Amino acid sequence: MVSNKFFAIVAGIGPATGRSIALRFGEAYPVVLLSRRPESYQDVVAQINKTGGRAIGISTDVTDEASLAAALETIKKEFAGLQLAAAIYNVRPNLRGSRKPFLELTLDDLDKSLNGNVRGLFIFAQTVVPLLLQSVDSSPLPPTFILTGATASMRGSKLWSVIAAGKSGGRILTQSLAREFGPAGVHVAHAIIDGGIDEPDAAHAASNDATPDGKLSPYAIAESYWSLHTQHKSAWTQEIDLRPFNEKF
Amino acid sequence: MVSNKFFAIVAGIGPATGRSIALRFGEAYPVVLLSRRPESYQDVVAQINKTGGRAIGISTDVTDEASLAAALETIKKEFAGLQLAAAIYNVRPNLRGSRKPFLELTLDDLDKSLNGNVRGLFIFAQTVVPLLLQSVDSSPLPPTFILTGATASMRGSKLWSVIAAGKSGGRILTQSLAREFGPAGVHVAHAIIDGGIDEPDAAHAASNDATPDGKLSPYAIAESYWSLHTQHKSAWTQEIDLRPFNEKF
Amino acid sequence: MVSNKFFAIVAGIGPATGRSIALRFGEAYPVVLLSRRPESYQDVVAQINKTGGRAIGISTDVTDEASLAAALETIKKEFAGLQLAAAIYNVRPNLRGSRKPFLELTLDDLDKSLNGNVRGLFIFAQTVVPLLLQSVDSSPLPPTFILTGATASMRGSKLWSVIAAGKSGGRILTQSLAREFGPAGVHVAHAIIDGGIDEPDAAHAASNDATPDGKLSPYAIAESYWSLHTQHKSAWTQEIDLRPFNEKF
Amino acid sequence: MVSNKFFAIVAGIGPATGRSIALRFGEAYPVVLLSRRPESYQDVVAQINKTGGRAIGISTDVTDEASLAAALETIKKEFAGLQLAAAIYNVRPNLRGSRKPFLELTLDDLDKSLNGNVRGLFIFAQTVVPLLLQSVDSSPLPPTFILTGATASMRGSKLWSVIAAGKSGGRILTQSLAREFGPAGVHVAHAIIDGGIDEPDAAHAASNDATPDGKLSPYAIAESYWSLHTQHKSAWTQEIDLRPFNEKF
C-alpha cells in the first residue's frame, strides 16, 4: 500500500537509474517524476499506476527556476495534502561529447556540466528542502535528499575535466546541505556510482533474476537509496559508494 | 526462520554494537559470538536461542592464532555442515587509557591498539575469508566481511595517535581485502562509526521506539550492516559512514 | 637578474596573495598581472619595475573569453619573444555575501562562485596551457600551472555551499589537467590555503621579519608556489596544503 | 657552512632516499645517520665529512627502544651543545616478500610492516619530539619532523595489504603528531612518495644533471624535504605528494 500522506520526487529519469528509483520509492509513496521529455517517464509512470502505485510525470527543466516552480505548482495541485518524504536528484546532463582532451573542449561543454550537475541541483534543493523540513516532525522515516554521483565526483581523471568539475561541485554542495540540514532532521546523502550501469533496466520484478555481472543493476542502486531513506536518525550515512563486485578501484 | 545452511560470525561482543549485530544477523542465521570473556556474550546467546534463533558463544582471543584456531574447531563441530555467510570484525581493544598526550604514551599503548585493530583483524580475516570464498557459489546473499571502524580510522586527531594508527591500519588492510576478494565474490566493507554509541543496547524489539537522539543506536548500526550484506553483487558498498543526525563532521 | 627568455602570468591580484606571488615570480621572470581593476595591480607593478624587475598589469576579466583574448594580444606584443614559464590562477571572486544559510542564497550567488572559480579557471587554462606546452623543451624549470585553492576546495562546510561548490569544482578540474598535461611536461598543482591570510602584505623584504602568527603570510604562500615551480620533473607535487602552525584542522 | 648550533637526524639510510636526505640536510647541519648496518651509512658519512660537512653514523635498530636510547646517548656526546632542528623518519622495512596474496601471508609479514612502519616511528618520535620542542625558541627554521610515506600510505591496493596497513598507520600517527605539536611550534609533515625511486643516487652534485625520467630522483625528494623545513611558521604543509611527471595516479 502506498502512503496517502507522503510522496517522493525523482528528478532525472532516463532508461535506467531514475526509473528504478521511481519504481522503488513508488512501492511506498506516490511519486513525481521530473524529466525534460515525456518519453522519459511516460511508460514508467503508467507501470506504477497500473501496479497499485500512484505516479505523475511532469516535463520539467530542473535547471530552470521557472520551469521547476511551475512543476511545483502542478505537484501541489495533484498531490494536495501530501507531504514530501524523499527527493532524489538523479539528473545526468548529456556530456558524452565532453569526454575529450581539454584543449578541444569549449566553454559550452563546461557550462552544460555545471548547469546540470550544480545549478540544477541548487535550484532543485532550494525547491524541495523547505518541503522536506516541513515533514521532519510527521514523517515516519526521516525526510531524505539523495544526489546521484559518480567516480568523477571524487577525482578528475584525464579527459573528464568538465564532467568532474560539475560532479565534484555537486558533491561538495550536497555535503554542505548535509551539515546544515542534518541537525534539522533532513537526511542528505550522496551516492558514488562507480562503474557502468546495466541499462535499460528490465522490469522491476525481473531485476532479482538478473545474472550478477560487471554492471550496476539500476534496481540494486535504487534498493540502496531506499536503505538510505530507512536509516535510523541516529545512524545516517552521508556518502555511500556503489560498484560492481569486479570493478577495479 | 534461521537458515539451516549458512551461519555468521561476530568477533567482538561488548555491551552495544557487537551484541546488536549478533541479534540482527541471528534473525537470519545461526551465529557464533566470539569474545574473550563469557560475560560478554552469555546473555545475548541465551536471548537468541530463546527467541527462535541459534547461537553459540566461544571465549576466544582473536589476536591469538591458536585461540582462534581452537574456536574454529569448535565452530566446525557445533555448526557441522553449515557454510559461512557473513563475518564481522567488531573488536574494540580497550584503549580508554590511550587517549592522551603523545609523550605520555608507552609502546605498550601502541601495541594494544595494533594488536586489537590490525593483528586480530589479520588473523580473523585469514581464518574466515577461506570459508567465505567457499560460500560464494551457494550463498543466496553474497558472503560478506565487515569491519567496524571509527572516526579515528580516517584521521589522526590530537591525543588519538595510537588509536588512530591502529584503526587506520585496519581500514586500509580491509581495503586491500576488498580489492582482492571482491572479484572473487566476497563483499568486503568498512563502516565508519562517527559518533558516540548509545549503550547499553536495549532489547532488540525496543530499539525502534528509542527517541532519536545524538548517539548511534547499536541496532541501527546492525541494520546498516545487514543492508550491506543484502546488497546485490553488482552494486556493493566498500565504505559507509554512520553518524547521528546532529553530529558535527 | 630576471629572465629575458621566459615570463610568468598571475591572474587575480588582491591586497595579499596575488601580489606576493607576482613579487616572488617577478624576482626571476618578467610578470604579467591580470586583474579587473588597475588599482589592484598598479602599485605592485610599479614596485617590481622599480626594483630591477619587469612587470605589466592588464585590466582583464578572466571569466570573459574576449577579455582574456585581448589580454593575450597585449602580452604577445609587450613580451614579444618571451615564453611562458608559469601561470598562476589566484582569482578569488567576491563571495563574502555568499556565506549564509542555503535557503537565503540566490542562483546569482552560485553563479558568481562558479564563474570565478571554475569558468574563469577553464578559460585561463585554455589560454595558457598551450603556451606552457610550448615551453616544455626550452624552459630550465618545468612550465608550471598553479591554482590557489582553499579549505572549501576540500569540504562543504555549513554555510559555505556555493563557495565550496565552486572551489571543489576548480580543484578537480585542475586534477584532470595534471593527469593530462603532466606527462606532456607541464607541472599542474593545487594549493589548499587552509586558514586566514595576513593581509595586506607588508613589503616583500619585510616579510621575513614578520612575527610568526596565526595567519598565513602571503609571502610564505608565494615562496611555496615558487618551490613547486622549482621541483624536479621526477618529483612533482600535485597538491599541497598550507596552514598556520596553530590552525586547527 | 654548516651550523654549529643545530643538527639533524635521519633514520633509515638505504641506497637512495635516506642518503640524499642526509646529504641535503648535511649542507646546513651536522647530521646523524641511523641505520642497522654500517654499510648503509659509512660512505655517505665519509662523503659529508670530506666535503666540509659533519656527519656521524650510528648502527641502530630504531624499532628497539634500548637501541635508540643508546644512539641518543652517543649523539649527546658527539654533538654536545647542539640542538635538534630536523628529524626524518625514512625507515623502509624490507617487505619485498610481503607483496603477495593475502592468504599466503603470515602474521610475521604483518608484524614486520607494523614494526618498521609504526612502532619504529613511534619510538623515534618519542625520542626526538622532546628535542625538537626544545629548539622551538632558538631555531631560525621551525624544528621539523618528516615521515617518508608512499602510495600505500593512502590506499590498500590488491596484494599490498600488510604494507599498506603499516604505511597508513604511520601516516595517521604522524597526522596526530602534527595536530598536537604544530601549535607548540614543531612542523610535522608527511611525504607521499608515489612512484619508483631512481636508485642508487648518483653523487649529490651530479643529481641536477640527471635526465628527467619516470623515476623519482632521491635528490629531488630531499630537496622537497628541505623546502618543507624552510617553510614559514604561518604556512606549513602537513602533507605533500611527490611523483614523476609521467606517473599515473
Side-chain angles (χ1 to χ4, degrees), chain C residues 175 178-179 181-185 207-208 210-218 220-221 224 227-228 230-249, chain D residues 175 178-179 181-185 207-208 210-218 220-221 224 227-228 230-249:
Chain C
Q175 216 181 73
R179 291 193 167 98
F181 298 109
S207 293
N208 286 324
T211 308
D213 68 5
K215 292 198 169 182
L216 289 120
S217 151
I221 296 173
S224 278
S227 287
L228 291 172
T230 64
Q231 283 185 319
H232 190 257
K233 199 174 178 176
S234 78
W236 281 348
T237 293
Q238 208 284 299
E239 191 156 76
I240 199 173
D241 54 308
L242 295 168
R243 71 174 60 77
F245 75 103
N246 61 350
E247 183 77 17
K248 287 217 170 143
F249 69 102
Chain D
Q175 216 180 73
R179 290 193 169 99
F181 298 110
S207 293
N208 287 323
T211 309
D213 69 5
K215 291 196 171 183
L216 289 119
S217 152
I221 295 172
S224 279
S227 286
L228 290 172
T230 64
Q231 284 185 320
H232 189 257
K233 198 175 179 176
S234 77
W236 281 347
T237 292
Q238 206 284 301
E239 190 157 74
I240 199 172
D241 53 310
L242 295 168
R243 70 175 60 78
F245 74 104
N246 60 350
E247 182 77 15
K248 287 217 169 144
F249 69 101

Side-chain angles (χ1 to χ4, degrees), chain C residues 41-117:
Chain C
Y41 56 75
Q42 275 167 344
D43 64 336
V44 65
V45 164
Q47 183 179 342
I48 293 170
N49 285 321
K50 221 178 298 173
T51 55
R54 187 176 164 204
I56 55 170
I58 308 174
S59 299
T60 314
D61 176 358
V62 291
T63 69
D64 180 86
E65 289 181 297
S67 175
L68 195 55
L72 189 60
E73 285 314 300
T74 305
I75 293 167
K76 282 180 175 168
K77 213 167 56 190
E78 295 280 336
F79 284 179
L82 297 193
Q83 286 185 280
L84 187 62
I88 292 98
Y89 191 79
N90 185 59
V91 172
R92 215 169 20 155
N94 183 350
L95 294 167
R96 244 158 298 193
S98 301
R99 207 174 132 189
K100 57 185 176 189
F102 180 68
L103 297 175
E104 294 175 19
L105 292 165
T106 65
L107 190 54
D108 187 55
D109 292 316
L110 176 66
D111 283 341
K112 258 192 220 155
S113 176
L114 296 179
N115 200 44
N117 288 316

Side-chain angles (χ1 to χ4, degrees), chain A residues 35-71:
Chain A
S35 207
R36 280 187 207 226
R37 299 170 308 136
E39 309 88 276
S40 300
Y41 57 74
Q42 274 167 345
D43 65 335
V44 64
V45 163
Q47 184 179 340
I48 292 170
N49 285 321
K50 222 179 298 172
T51 54
R54 187 174 165 204
I56 56 171
I58 307 175
S59 299
T60 314
D61 177 358
V62 292
T63 67
D64 180 86
E65 289 180 297
S67 175
L68 195 55

Side-chain angles (χ1 to χ4, degrees), chain D residues 29-204:
Chain D
Y29 300 117
V31 280
V32 180
L33 290 80
L34 304 180
S35 206
R36 279 187 208 226
R37 298 171 308 137
E39 310 88 274
S40 301
Y41 57 73
Q42 274 167 344
D43 65 335
V44 64
V45 164
Q47 184 179 341
I48 292 170
N49 285 320
K50 218 178 302 173
T51 55
R54 186 176 167 203
I56 55 170
I58 308 174
S59 298
T60 314
D61 177 359
V62 291
T63 69
D64 180 86
E65 289 180 296
S67 175
L68 195 54
L72 190 60
E73 286 312 303
T74 306
I75 293 167
K76 283 182 174 166
K77 212 168 54 188
E78 295 280 335
F79 285 179
L82 297 193
Q83 286 186 279
L84 186 62
I88 292 99
Y89 191 79
N90 185 59
V91 172
R92 215 168 20 153
N94 184 349
L95 293 167
R96 245 158 296 192
S98 301
R99 205 175 133 190
K100 57 185 175 189
F102 179 69
L103 297 175
E104 296 175 18
L105 292 165
T106 65
L107 190 54
D108 186 55
D109 291 317
L110 176 66
D111 283 341
K112 259 191 219 154
S113 176
L114 295 180
N115 200 43
N117 288 315
V118 192
R119 296 177 88 252
L121 171 68
F122 178 92
I123 297 167
F124 182 71
Q126 286 211 326
T127 304
V128 300
V129 166
L131 304 181
L132 293 168
L133 287 167
Q134 285 169 23
S135 308
V136 168
D137 291 336
S138 53
S139 174
L141 295 174
T144 302
F145 183 97
I146 301 175
L147 168 65
T148 299
T151 319
S153 309
M154 307 298 291
R155 53 178 278 130
S157 294
K158 192 180 161 183
L159 309 187
W160 288 76
S161 58
V162 297
I163 303 172
K167 295 301 283 186
S168 63
R171 171 186 178 245
I172 293 291
L173 191 148
T174 304
Q175 216 180 73
S176 286
L177 300 186
R179 290 193 169 99
E180 181 169 354
F181 298 110
V186 176
H187 182 186
V188 179
H190 178 244
I192 304 159
I193 310 298
D194 183 23
I197 293 174
D198 186 22
E199 46 188 67
D201 184 25
H204 183 188

Side-chain angles (χ1 to χ4, degrees), chain A residues 29 37 44 48 54 58 84 88 102 121 141 179 218-219 222:
Chain A
Y29 300 117
R37 299 170 308 136
V44 64
I48 292 170
R54 187 174 165 204
I58 307 175
L84 188 61
I88 292 99
F102 179 69
L121 171 69
L141 295 173
R179 291 193 168 97
Y219 179 66

